[in-house]
C-alpha cells in the first residue's frame, strides 16, 4: 500500500500538484480554477479529471504513472 512518496510527503500532495501542473499547462489559470471548482467526493474528483484534463477513471493509474515519470 502506497502511503508516502518519502519520509515526509504524502503521495496525494504529489498527485494533486501533478494535476494542477497539467491543468495549468493545458489552459492556464482558468483550467486550474475549473479543476479546483469541483467538489470533494470521489465522483466529483473523477469528473473533474475527465472534464478538465480528459483523463478517464479507468485509465487513471496508467496515465499517472506515465506522466509522473515524465515530470521527474
Amino acid at each position: 500500500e502506497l502511503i508516502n512518496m518519502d519520509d515526509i510527503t504524502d503521495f496525494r500532495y504529489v498527485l494533486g500538484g501533478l494535476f494542477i501542473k497539467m491543468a495549468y499547462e493545458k489552459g492556464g489559470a482558468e483550467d486550474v480554477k475549473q479543476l479546483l471548482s469541483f467538489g470533494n467526493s470521489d465522483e466529483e474528483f473523477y469528473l473533474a479529471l475527465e472534464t478538465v484534463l480528459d483523463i478517464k477513471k479507468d485509465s487513471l493509474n496508467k496515465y499517472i504513472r506515465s506522466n509522473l515519470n515524465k515530470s521527474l
Side-chain angles (χ1 to χ4, degrees):
E1 179 179 314
L2 179 61
I3 297 173
N4 293 333
M5 298 298 291
D6 55 31
D7 291 337
I8 300 169
T9 311
D10 186 292
F11 75 93
R12 290 170 283 223
Y13 292 107
V14 174
L15 295 179
L18 175 65
F19 296 139
I20 294 296
K21 178 181 180 229
M22 292 167 59
Y24 188 79
E25 289 173 349
K26 179 179 174 274
E30 288 304 313
D31 275 10
V32 172
K33 289 178 190 176
Q34 183 182 9
L35 187 65
L36 294 173
S37 72
F38 287 78
N40 295 323
S41 72
D42 287 351
E43 183 178 307
E44 291 166 319
F45 169 73
Y46 293 117
L47 180 61
L49 292 181
E50 187 167 348
T51 301
V52 178
L53 298 174
D54 198 32
I55 304 171
K56 301 207 183 301
K57 181 180 177 180
D58 60 351
S59 63
L60 181 58
N61 186 33
K62 183 177 179 182
Y63 192 90
I64 288 171
R65 290 175 188 277
S66 172
N67 283 280
L68 193 57
N69 285 332
K70 290 177 188 174
S71 295
L72 295 177

